Amino acid sequence: MAVNPSSSSLTYEVLIAAPPERVWAAIATSEGTRATLFGSSIESTFEPGARVEFRGPGPDGDRTLHVYGFVKQYEPNRVFSYEQHPAPAYNEQHESVFCDMTYQLTPIGDRTKLELTCAWSEGNPGYEHAKQEYPASSYMDAIRNFAEGTSVDPDGRDTAG
C-alpha cells in the first residue's frame, strides 16, 4: 500500500556508538526488539511482501499480536522498510490504518547514523502520539542503548554492569 499523499511523517536521526551490525540487531532480531519494544519479538522471513509481526506479552498471553505488516525492503545492516498496522485487537480499522516505517543505517567512522522515517496514513492516531514526543523518541533511545551495550529499565535507570 502506498502512503497517502495527505499522510503525516516524522523522521528521527541518532548517531550510535556501535557498528551497523549491532544497530541492525536492535531493529531486526527478536533479541533486539524484545529489549526495545516492550518485550515483543519480531517474526518474519524478511522477504519483500512477507508478513512481519511483533508478538509479546499482552491481553492474549505471551504471544499477543501487537502490530503486523508487510516487508517492503530488507537489506541487512543497511535498510529495512515495512508497512505496519495495529493488531485487530487495538484498532477495528487496522487494515486501513498504517504507518510506513523505514530504517536507514549509514556507517560514519566507528559509529552508525540511524534514520527512522515514519509516514502515517491519514487519521492514524499513532501520529498524534509520536508528535507529542518528537523530536525525542524513547524508542530511538532504546535502540541506541541496546546497540551500545547498555540497558535501561522502564524507570530510566541504567541496568548495565
Side-chain angles (χ1 to χ4, degrees):
M1 177 181 291
V3 174
N4 184 322
S6 64
S7 72
S8 301
S9 67
L10 297 172
T11 297
Y12 302 86
E13 286 187 17
V14 64
L15 192 58
I16 301 173
E21 295 81 8
R22 190 69 188 147
V23 177
W24 191 258
I27 62 175
T29 70
S30 288
E31 176 192 8
T33 61
R34 276 193 307 272
T36 60
L37 290 172
F38 311 103
S40 292
S41 294
I42 190 170
E43 299 178 11
S44 182
T45 63
F46 299 105
E47 297 169 4
R51 188 169 168 106
V52 60
E53 296 181 345
F54 292 85
R55 292 182 173 273
D60 295 332
D62 288 343
R63 291 199 29 84
T64 296
L65 177 64
H66 294 285
V67 296
Y68 71 94
F70 304 94
V71 175
K72 293 177 153 196
Q73 186 177 3
Y74 186 85
E75 298 175 37
N77 305 316
R78 194 169 162 271
V79 65
F80 179 28
S81 180
Y82 63 97
E83 180 180 299
Q84 180 188 78
H85 297 262
Y90 296 105
N91 191 313
E92 291 180 5
Q93 280 76 46
H94 63 94
E95 292 176 342
S96 62
V97 174
F98 65 92
C99 179
D100 282 335
M101 307 280 288
T102 302
Y103 300 84
Q104 182 78 42
L105 284 67
T106 306
I108 300 175
D110 61 352
R111 297 174 179 253
T112 302
K113 180 176 95 171
L114 172 61
E115 182 177 283
L116 170 60
T117 300
C118 307
W120 286 270
S121 59
E122 187 173 355
N124 187 329
Y127 175 68
E128 292 303 320
H129 174 75
K131 208 168 69 167
Q132 290 175 4
E133 190 178 40
Y134 188 80
S137 168
S138 55
Y139 175 51
M140 294 294 276
D141 290 343
I143 292 171
R144 182 180 58 238
N145 290 336
F146 179 88
E148 291 179 352
T150 60
S151 57
V152 177
D153 72 12
D155 294 323
R157 295 179 298 239
D158 188 345
T159 61

